[in-house]
Amino acid sequence: ADSLLMRSGMTLERPEDGARSLMGMSIRDLAIECMQRDGSSESNLNRRSSDELYTMMARGFYNPEASFPAILDQTIEKAYKEGYRKVAVTFDKFTKKGSLKDFKKHDNYYVAGPVGEFYEVPENGELKHDIFKDDKLPQRQLKTYGRQFTLSRKAFIDDDIGLVTSLPARYAAAARKTINKQVYEVLCKNPVIYDGTQLFSAVHKNVLASGTGITREALQNMMLALQTQTDQFGEAITINPAKIVIPAGYAMDVYTILYSPTINTAGNTQATNPLYRYKELLEVIEDPTINTLCGGFGKVMPWFLFGAESDTDGIEVDYLDGKEIPNIRRMEVPGQLGFTWDIYLDWGVNLMDYRGIIKNPGVEVASPL
């Protein structure tokens, strides 16, 4: 399995001993060696045509003790895990990971509100009874997503190594990219959420009145909006600014603001930059998915300020039993000359609380082309 992966150009941290010595072998050669080691009674396997070998291997796909099908399964599993791990996505930098045990709609738990203030009790006075409040959080639910691919008879005869290495890796990466896109759709499409109001609205007090580029004033206003949010019961809460999520084209301006010790002012060109101390506290997350969802260059691109995960729930990505690596299974499809692998994963993207996200509607990002 490792030799097939390395032959396709994939880098493995700890390949199994002997894997490099098998890298020069074709899929046909490996199939022959596997049948020989399995004790095949067939003679002169090397003289068999690739088509005959494929037919023999097809029979082995139903034998749980056959080596070659197991090697292909293991190769594909390693390939898609590697592809899943290496894909460039950013959603997991500002979302929480959750776990659900089934596909039912979960009404979630209730959050307990603040208890009443303590009142002075005069001598021989009476203690006043307090009734605390609670509030129901939004529903959560999983859905199943997946794709199929086939190792065809033609691919076996043509020694198409990519079908058992790069293709599974690409499909596994596609799973992560799909989650990434769904998370950014929540931010960019501004859906109506659990309380019947759009995510970013004047009611939620989490969107600036007018869009701007990356400016010191805009960032300070977003911090102020974040830090003055109140909980479900109207009580003050503490949300610390932690992450700036921006489209491609904004990063240079963010770093210029955060990493400049001084700023220019009308009266003093050496005034202290108050945002300089946030350079280590604010993580900058740049993703071109925002650009794509908003229509590309020449369109208005929003950007966002997130609070720390410990201070607010925000967006949560749930997985079935917490498993975030796609499942894979091999099967034969009637009427097809080949064997099919299903790749599927169960997840749900859920907005849990709007208070930890502030939106700046942004400005048009000009095309550099």
Side-chain angles (χ1 to χ4, degrees), residues 109-363:
Y109 48 88
Y110 283 77
V111 58
V115 297
E117 296 179 2
F118 270 45
Y119 295 115
E120 179 184 354
V121 181
E123 185 177 357
N124 297 322
E126 181 183 1
L127 292 172
K128 293 185 178 181
H129 185 72
D130 181 43
I131 301 176
F132 65 88
K133 302 176 183 178
D134 59 17
D135 190 52
K136 185 179 178 181
L137 292 179
Q139 289 183 329
R140 300 157 65 199
Q141 187 177 23
L142 298 174
K143 295 182 180 179
T144 301
Y145 302 84
R147 293 301 294 263
Q148 287 184 341
F149 71 94
T150 299
L151 176 64
S152 66
R153 168 176 170 266
K154 180 179 182 298
F156 177 85
I157 294 174
D158 291 347
D159 192 33
D160 191 348
I161 192 67
L163 276 173
V164 291
T165 53
S166 63
L167 195 60
R170 286 159 56 191
Y171 277 127
R176 291 267 285 172
K177 289 181 180 179
T178 302
I179 301 174
N180 196 65
K181 181 179 179 181
Q182 289 180 354
V183 169
Y184 278 102
E185 283 177 339
V186 173
L187 297 178
C188 294
K189 293 186 176 181
N190 198 19
V192 174
I193 60 172
Y194 55 88
D195 62 356
T197 306
Q198 284 187 299
L199 167 58
F200 300 108
S201 64
V203 174
H204 291 158
K205 300 179 181 179
N206 62 352
V207 58
L208 298 193
S210 58
T212 72
I214 307 294
T215 66
R216 180 171 57 86
E217 292 78 12
L219 191 52
Q220 288 175 327
N221 286 336
M222 293 169 75
M223 288 182 177
L224 180 63
L226 184 71
Q227 294 171 320
T228 55
Q229 285 283 339
T230 56
D231 66 14
Q232 293 94 326
F233 312 97
E235 298 291 327
I237 52 178
T238 301
I239 303 178
N240 296 298
K243 300 177 183 184
I244 303 175
V245 179
I246 56 175
Y250 280 0
M252 291 295 182
D253 292 337
V254 175
Y255 289 123
T256 298
I257 290 176
L258 294 181
Y259 284 82
S260 298
T262 60
I263 55 175
N264 291 324
T265 65
N268 183 358
T269 58
Q270 296 299 313
T272 300
N273 177 13
L275 293 176
Y276 180 66
R277 75 180 189 92
Y278 285 93
K279 68 181 187 300
E280 304 299 336
L281 302 177
L282 289 174
E283 180 182 2
V284 180
I285 302 168
E286 184 179 29
D287 197 307
T289 305
I290 298 177
N291 302 64
T292 302
L293 290 174
C294 292
F297 290 121
K299 302 295 182 180
V300 175
M301 306 287 176
W303 53 289
F304 309 88
L305 177 66
F306 278 71
E309 290 183 9
S310 58
D311 300 333
T312 180
D313 287 328
I315 300 175
E316 183 169 307
V317 180
D318 293 311
Y319 301 92
L320 181 63
D321 295 326
K323 183 179 180 181
E324 56 183 309
I325 300 294
N327 303 286
I328 188 166
R329 68 173 185 178
R330 170 169 41 89
M331 59 183 292
E332 184 181 22
V333 178
Q336 289 188 11
L337 291 175
F339 291 88
T340 299
W341 280 267
D342 294 334
I343 297 181
Y344 59 95
L345 183 62
D346 311 296
W347 75 75
V349 176
N350 302 291
L351 191 284
M352 303 304 296
D353 198 341
Y354 58 82
R355 294 170 181 82
I357 314 171
I358 304 299
K359 176 182 177 180
N360 187 316
V363 293

Side-chain angles (χ1 to χ4, degrees), residues 1-210:
D2 285 357
S3 71
L4 288 171
L5 292 170
M6 291 190 295
R7 181 181 155 199
S8 70
M10 195 172 292
T11 302
L12 302 180
E13 293 182 1
R14 298 182 183 88
E16 294 292 332
D17 294 339
R20 296 189 183 280
S21 64
L22 300 175
M23 287 177 61
M25 300 179 70
S26 65
I27 296 179
R28 168 195 166 91
D29 295 334
L30 289 172
I32 291 173
E33 181 150 335
C34 285
M35 283 191 286
Q36 290 174 337
R37 294 191 181 193
D38 286 342
S40 173
S41 59
E42 300 286 344
S43 59
N44 299 322
L45 290 174
N46 288 311
R47 298 180 184 178
R48 301 276 184 169
S49 69
S50 295
D51 188 24
E52 289 176 311
L53 287 172
Y54 172 79
T55 302
M56 296 167 64
M57 294 310 305
R59 293 197 298 268
F61 270 67
Y62 300 104
N63 181 0
E65 296 181 356
S67 300
F68 189 68
I71 288 174
L72 288 184
D73 286 346
Q74 187 178 2
T75 302
I76 289 170
E77 182 178 356
K78 284 190 174 186
Y80 82 71
K81 284 184 177 178
E82 193 73 4
Y84 190 85
R85 184 177 64 86
K86 288 185 176 180
V87 63
V89 293
T90 60
F91 76 90
D92 49 3
K93 294 182 179 181
F94 60 89
T95 60
K96 287 189 174 181
K97 177 185 173 183
S99 177
L100 292 175
K101 63 180 181 179
D102 53 42
F103 295 93
K104 299 176 183 177
K105 279 189 176 181
H106 290 257
D107 285 336
N108 216 341
Y109 48 88
Y110 283 77
V111 58
V115 297
E117 296 179 2
F118 270 45
Y119 295 115
E120 179 184 354
V121 181
E123 185 177 357
N124 297 322
E126 181 183 1
L127 292 172
K128 293 185 178 181
H129 185 72
D130 181 43
I131 301 176
F132 65 88
K133 302 176 183 178
D134 59 17
D135 190 52
K136 185 179 178 181
L137 292 179
Q139 289 183 329
R140 300 157 65 199
Q141 187 177 23
L142 298 174
K143 295 182 180 179
T144 301
Y145 302 84
R147 293 301 294 263
Q148 287 184 341
F149 71 94
T150 299
L151 176 64
S152 66
R153 168 176 170 266
K154 180 179 182 298
F156 177 85
I157 294 174
D158 291 347
D159 192 33
D160 191 348
I161 192 67
L163 276 173
V164 291
T165 53
S166 63
L167 195 60
R170 286 159 56 191
Y171 277 127
R176 291 267 285 172
K177 289 181 180 179
T178 302
I179 301 174
N180 196 65
K181 181 179 179 181
Q182 289 180 354
V183 169
Y184 278 102
E185 283 177 339
V186 173
L187 297 178
C188 294
K189 293 186 176 181
N190 198 19
V192 174
I193 60 172
Y194 55 88
D195 62 356
T197 306
Q198 284 187 299
L199 167 58
F200 300 108
S201 64
V203 174
H204 291 158
K205 300 179 181 179
N206 62 352
V207 58
L208 298 193
S210 58

